[in-house]
Amino acid sequence: MGIFEGKRGLVLGVANKRSIAWGIAQRLAAGGAELAFTFQGERIESSVRDLAASVGSPLVTACDVRSDDDVGRVFREVGETFEGQLDLLVHSVAYAAAEDLEGRFTDTPRDRFWMALDVSAYSLVACARAAEPLMDAGGGGSILTMTYLGGERAVPHYNVMGVAKATLDASVRYLAWDLGQKNIRINAVSAGPVRTLAARSIAGFPTMEAIVEERSPLHRHIGADDVGAAAAYLLSEDARNVTGTTLYVDSGYHAMGM
Ligand SMILES: NC(=O)c1ccc[n+]([C@@H]2O[C@H](COP(=O)([O-])OP(=O)(O)OC[C@H]3O[C@@H](n4cnc5c(N)ncnc54)[C@H](O)[C@@H]3O)[C@@H](O)[C@H]2O)c1
């Protein structure tokens, strides 16, 4: 029997088959989880529906995480689909304007600064709050989000997204404290560079990859499936006493000083 047999999960952030969220979803589905998916925008709807169908998903629905109405509706639909319960939540969503991932961080305008933090960090708080009653109904749950070293150190070009990740990382710790009372755990995976749609908008992404390959202890790239394996651990009962933490899947790059 799979380790997620009988578990119900919601995955936000699949855009296509390269998405990290899809790497995670495949692991959860292989373990027996039943998964609902959200997509943002009509442009990617059909590819998300196709991927979701391939793992027998009972619910695929639109969600722009900037909208409280969308978030509220999605979690109502999830409650209806999964008999009022939710065990697993995967938050793999981030956005910053392409122009803010190439110039100087110093030049980030106010509106786009807040947009990056809204989509990439506040959305975790909104989703965790909406998931709380559904997880509580089943005696607890587990939440996972995706972060990057650029929230802890200055990584050229990562800019406002790094500030958003720092906010996300701190949010994980505060949510862990609040939700721990209800046996709801929350953790993050900090991934090394993976070639996805979102990564393509970061200027100098190939340089980031080259540096990881040269300087990380393992001298190799990671893939979405590596993140999926780490996420599966953190979301599973094996990690029942792990919360508020970050697991690095980056070939060890974060451990290096040069
Ligand atoms: N690719 C990497 O190298 C890397 C490394 C570390 C962390 N991450 C993080 O992994 C997560 C997933 O990114 P990815 O690399 O798989 O790219 P991706 O483009 O496949 O996924 C990003 C997702 O965010 C969604 N999204 C953006 N704005 C949204 C909004 N307003 N409402 C709802 N959804 C929205 C997109 O639809 C997409 O599905 C992000 O948090 C990213 O920062 C990526």
Side-chain angles (χ1 to χ4, degrees):
M1 205 159 104
I3 58 169
F4 294 111
E5 213 66 55
K7 300 286 183 194
R8 272 102 25 128
L10 171 65
V11 179
L12 290 93
V14 176
N16 56 39
K17 65 179 188 328
R18 291 203 179 76
S19 294
I20 288 174
W22 180 239
I24 297 170
Q26 284 176 290
R27 286 278 178 160
L28 302 182
E34 201 181 356
L35 298 176
F37 291 86
T38 68
F39 63 89
Q40 193 232 347
E42 287 167 10
R43 215 164 33 86
I44 61 167
E45 176 173 358
S46 70
S47 77
V48 177
R49 285 197 183 278
D50 289 349
L51 292 169
S54 74
V55 294
S57 172
L59 175 68
V60 182
T61 189
C63 183
D64 183 332
V65 295
R66 288 170 299 184
S67 157
D68 287 333
D69 288 349
D70 267 20
V71 172
R73 175 186 47 75
V74 165
F75 282 85
R76 271 197 307 280
E77 289 178 22
V78 166
E80 285 158 19
T81 306
F82 291 149
E83 296 158 322
Q85 291 184 20
L86 182 69
D87 305 294
L88 315 168
L89 174 64
V90 175
H91 172 279
S92 185
V93 167
Y95 179 78
E99 56 262 56
D100 294 329
L101 299 173
E102 51 190 40
R104 302 192 317 156
F105 169 66
T106 314
D107 298 327
T108 313
R110 191 187 301 266
D111 57 342
R112 297 204 305 255
F113 181 99
W114 288 120
M115 183 187 57
L117 267 79
D118 189 10
V119 176
S120 315
Y122 182 74
S123 62
L124 177 68
V125 184
C127 290
R129 188 169 59 240
E132 183 179 0
L134 299 175
M135 291 188 161
D136 192 27
S142 187
I143 303 173
L144 184 94
T145 190
M146 288 301 308
T147 191
Y148 176 60
L149 190 64
E152 302 168 59
R153 318 267 170 80
V155 173
H157 304 302
Y158 203 62
N159 297 359
V160 70
M161 189 58 88
V163 176
K165 291 302 189 195
T167 305
L168 182 79
D169 295 348
S171 301
V172 166
R173 293 185 283 270
Y174 282 96
L175 289 167
W177 169 245
D178 283 353
L179 301 178
Q181 281 209 339
K182 292 184 175 165
N183 192 32
I184 298 170
R185 302 182 297 104
I186 176 162
N187 294 290
V189 168
S190 180
V194 180
R195 276 181 192 252
T196 60
L197 204 59
R200 278 218 306 260
S201 56
I202 303 168
F205 186 79
T207 310
M208 288 163 79
E209 285 183 312
I211 289 176
V212 167
E213 194 163 5
E214 181 194 328
R215 301 189 197 165
S216 68
L218 296 174
H219 300 290
R220 60 185 179 230
H221 296 301
I222 68 134
D225 185 55
D226 298 314
V227 179
Y233 161 68
L234 288 171
L235 287 166
S236 77
E237 274 299 297
D238 286 346
R240 64 185 141 323
N241 288 324
V242 180
T243 193
T245 199
T246 300
L247 180 52
Y248 294 86
V249 181
D250 65 350
S251 298
Y253 181 76
H254 70 283
M256 302 303 296
M258 276 189 72

